[in-house]
């Protein structure tokens, strides 16, 4: 039986359908993120070559995406290669880049499937760190699928959260230097939009395999209100039952997480209002009466949002043009 046959036989079995139906009676995460950890330990355990661990890791990823699609999880983000991974041996880094070349090339060959299902593939990370030929493939995959919006696959490649946040701050600083932004335009909302994940919603569920219970610089900003599930299997051993168990954990914690998230968003809005109020009281000399404050805050918000929108459109255009320059 081929891998594809095996996957579809699981997906077609009555037991699978039953489990899916039971799970779908509850909340299904819209966005799941994965730290696919344990490929090398798996290779060692099975006495395989290290590269074989990564190859099997990729196969597990393909299988997992299939399960997610069946379950109605519309967005998946995976940690495929961290900025720190560049420090691994030259041979291992080259092995992972070669795997990326092969897999991105297969994605390009699956154009029909990707367009039919409306899947948008994004590659999130510092593209300037990638070898040119890998970047060319990334650019082709991203450009090909950029107008799709039915399902989203975000491959974090040359990615690390602290690097991402630093880049976001640099982007905003450049915006100020270029006169597109004012210092008072820097808000948590704007910083969030300047991350590689842009307007992608934060993950509802974040799963890490291999028994390690840390985030290792992955989606630190975005995962504040995610349900974290640490599964005690190496990534190539990850099974549909591990996924089900993580979703059950998400369902069990759904109410408390949703409430905490809503409170956080209200607090963020209130904090910003407080900052704006203090800013106007200290800086706006035209403010004759305190009752004018609300109108002035609305005006400030309006002009700020307009500048932020234009800045983000400029940023988006710049990134798109950069990627397009690698598509031949
Ligand atoms: C972590 O296990 C996994 C990685 C660093 C690479 C993950 C990559 C894939 C699963 C497939 C590659 C995907 C693309 C798009 C090319 P580890 O190597 O840290 O293993 P260990 O924790 O046992 O040392």
């Amino acid at each position: 039986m081929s891998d594809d046959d095996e996957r579809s036989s699981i997906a077609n079995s009555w037991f699978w359908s039953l489990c899916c139906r039971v799970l779908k009676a509850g909340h299904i995460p819209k966005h799941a993120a994965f730290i696919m950890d344990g490929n090398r330990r798996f290779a060692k355990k099975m006495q395989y070559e290290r590269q074989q661990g990564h190859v099997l890791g990729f196969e597990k990823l393909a299988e997992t995406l299939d399960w997610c699609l069946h379950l109605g999880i519309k967005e998946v983000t995976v940690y495929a290669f961290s900025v720190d991974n560049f420090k691994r041996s030259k041979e291992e880094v080259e092995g992972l880049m070669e795997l990326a070349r092969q897999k991105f090339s297969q994605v390009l060959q699956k154009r029909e499937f990707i367009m039919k299902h409306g899947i948008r593939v994004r590659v999130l990370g510092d593209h300037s760190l990638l070898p040119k030929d890998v970047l060319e493939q990334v650019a082709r995959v991203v450009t090909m699928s950029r107008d799709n919006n039915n399902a989203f696959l975000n491959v974090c490649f040359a990615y690390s959260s602290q690097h991402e946040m630093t880049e976001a701050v640099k982007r905003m600083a450049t915006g100020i230097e270029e006169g597109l932004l004012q210092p008072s335009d820097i808000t948590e909302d704007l910083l969030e939009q300047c991350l590689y994940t842009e307007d992608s919603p934060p993950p509802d569920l974040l799963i890490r395999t291999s028994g390690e219970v840390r985030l290792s610089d992955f989606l630190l900003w975005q995962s504040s209100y995610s349900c974290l599930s640490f599964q005690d299997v190496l990534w190539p051993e990850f099974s549909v039952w591990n996924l089900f168990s993580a979703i059950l954990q998400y369902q069990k914690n759904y109410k408390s997480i949703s409430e905490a998230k809503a409170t956080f968003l209200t607090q963020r809005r209130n904090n910003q209002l407080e900052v704006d109020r203090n800013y106007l009281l200290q800086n706006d000399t035209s403010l004759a009466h305190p009752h004018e404050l609300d109108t002035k805050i609305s005006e400030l918000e309006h002009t700020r949002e307009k500048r932020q929108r234009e800045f983000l459109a400029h940023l988006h255009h710049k990134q798109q043009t950069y990627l397009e320059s690698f598509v031949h």
Side-chain angles (χ1 to χ4, degrees):
M1 192 155 49
S2 76
D3 286 355
D4 280 350
D5 290 343
E6 195 176 341
R7 276 209 294 277
S8 56
S9 79
I10 293 170
N12 289 328
S13 79
W14 67 269
F15 192 54
W16 153 273
S17 303
L18 179 70
C19 293
C20 282
R21 243 185 299 150
V22 171
L23 275 184
K24 281 180 177 181
H27 291 277
I28 292 289
K30 291 187 188 71
H31 181 180
F34 294 87
I35 302 180
M36 310 177 287
D37 195 21
N39 292 345
R40 296 189 298 186
R41 273 169 282 168
F42 181 75
K44 198 165 174 204
K45 183 172 148 184
M46 304 302 287
Q47 296 182 324
Y48 295 154
E49 295 281 324
R50 190 176 47 208
Q51 179 67 1
Q52 183 61 9
H54 293 311
V55 170
L56 293 171
F58 184 86
E59 284 176 12
K60 184 55 67 178
L61 168 60
E63 206 177 353
T64 305
L65 291 177
D66 212 24
W67 298 331
C68 289
L69 209 60
H70 271 86
L71 281 162
I73 299 173
K74 292 272 185 184
E75 181 152 359
V76 172
T77 302
V78 295
Y79 204 5
F81 192 88
S82 74
V83 172
D84 227 35
N85 286 155
F86 280 109
K87 294 189 195 130
R88 292 191 176 182
S89 72
K90 200 166 167 264
E91 183 201 353
E92 187 176 355
V93 172
E94 185 40 46
L96 279 161
M97 289 300 156
E98 186 48 36
L99 191 59
R101 278 181 199 101
Q102 287 170 18
K103 300 307 170 189
F104 286 129
S105 150
Q106 284 174 14
V107 170
L108 285 165
Q109 283 161 19
K110 289 195 171 174
R111 184 194 160 90
E112 212 175 304
F113 175 87
I114 289 191
M115 301 315 272
K116 185 175 147 210
H117 290 272
I119 302 169
R120 180 167 175 196
V121 183
R122 287 184 283 210
V123 178
L124 312 180
D126 187 341
H127 294 154
S128 71
L129 299 176
L130 296 176
K132 190 163 174 274
D133 61 338
V134 175
L135 179 53
E136 282 167 358
Q137 280 180 316
V138 164
R140 269 186 237 129
V141 169
V142 171
T143 308
M144 168 185 91
S145 67
R146 74 176 169 208
D147 295 325
N148 293 342
N149 60 8
N150 189 43
F152 300 85
L153 170 62
N154 307 316
V155 182
C156 292
F157 205 77
Y159 173 91
S160 288
S161 220
Q162 295 185 12
H163 192 83
E164 174 186 41
M165 289 189 235
T166 311
E167 284 303 306
V169 172
K170 282 191 204 158
R171 287 170 174 182
M172 295 188 297
T174 309
I176 294 177
E177 261 169 27
E178 290 173 348
L180 297 168
L181 288 175
Q182 293 183 5
S184 62
D185 294 338
I186 309 299
T187 61
E188 289 181 21
D189 283 332
L190 182 69
L191 196 150
E192 198 162 85
Q193 295 280 316
C194 291
L195 297 173
Y196 297 133
T197 43
E198 296 179 13
D199 50 6
S200 160
D204 303 299
L205 174 62
L206 191 155
I207 300 172
R208 179 177 190 153
T209 55
S210 93
E212 302 293 347
V213 289
R214 56 181 191 275
L215 292 179
S216 301
D217 219 350
F218 181 55
L219 301 182
L220 298 184
W221 179 288
Q222 298 86 339
S223 65
S224 303
Y225 291 91
S226 306
C227 172
L228 306 182
S229 176
F230 298 101
Q231 299 282 325
D232 210 2
V233 285
L234 302 173
W235 174 249
E237 297 168 332
F238 185 73
S239 76
V240 75
W241 310 112
N242 294 112
L243 181 61
F244 285 171
S245 125
I247 295 175
L248 282 173
Q249 202 178 332
Y250 167 73
Q251 294 183 337
K252 203 170 131 218
N253 292 285
Y254 179 81
K255 192 164 173 281
S256 62
I257 290 181
S258 306
E259 283 169 4
K261 196 169 168 180
T263 308
F264 163 76
L265 290 173
T266 310
Q267 261 165 15
R268 181 191 271 186
R269 163 110 186 103
N270 288 343
N271 290 347
Q272 188 59 48
L273 279 173
E274 193 58 28
V275 169
D276 290 347
R277 190 171 291 123
N278 289 336
Y279 174 80
L280 286 171
L281 286 171
Q282 282 166 23
N283 297 294
D284 193 336
T285 45
S286 72
L287 198 68
H289 297 287
H291 67 260
E292 287 175 2
L293 199 54
D294 285 348
T295 318
K296 289 277 183 186
I297 288 177
S298 300
E299 281 170 15
L300 179 74
E301 280 179 341
H302 181 75
T303 49
R304 179 170 55 216
E305 275 166 24
K306 185 168 177 289
R307 269 194 307 272
Q308 289 177 335
R309 250 196 328 271
E310 284 169 5
F311 166 70
L312 288 170
H314 164 82
L315 205 61
H316 189 72
H317 178 74
K318 208 159 116 182
Q319 280 153 3
Q320 207 156 296
T321 315
Y322 172 73
L323 270 189
E324 275 167 8
S325 71
F326 291 94
V327 181
H328 304 298

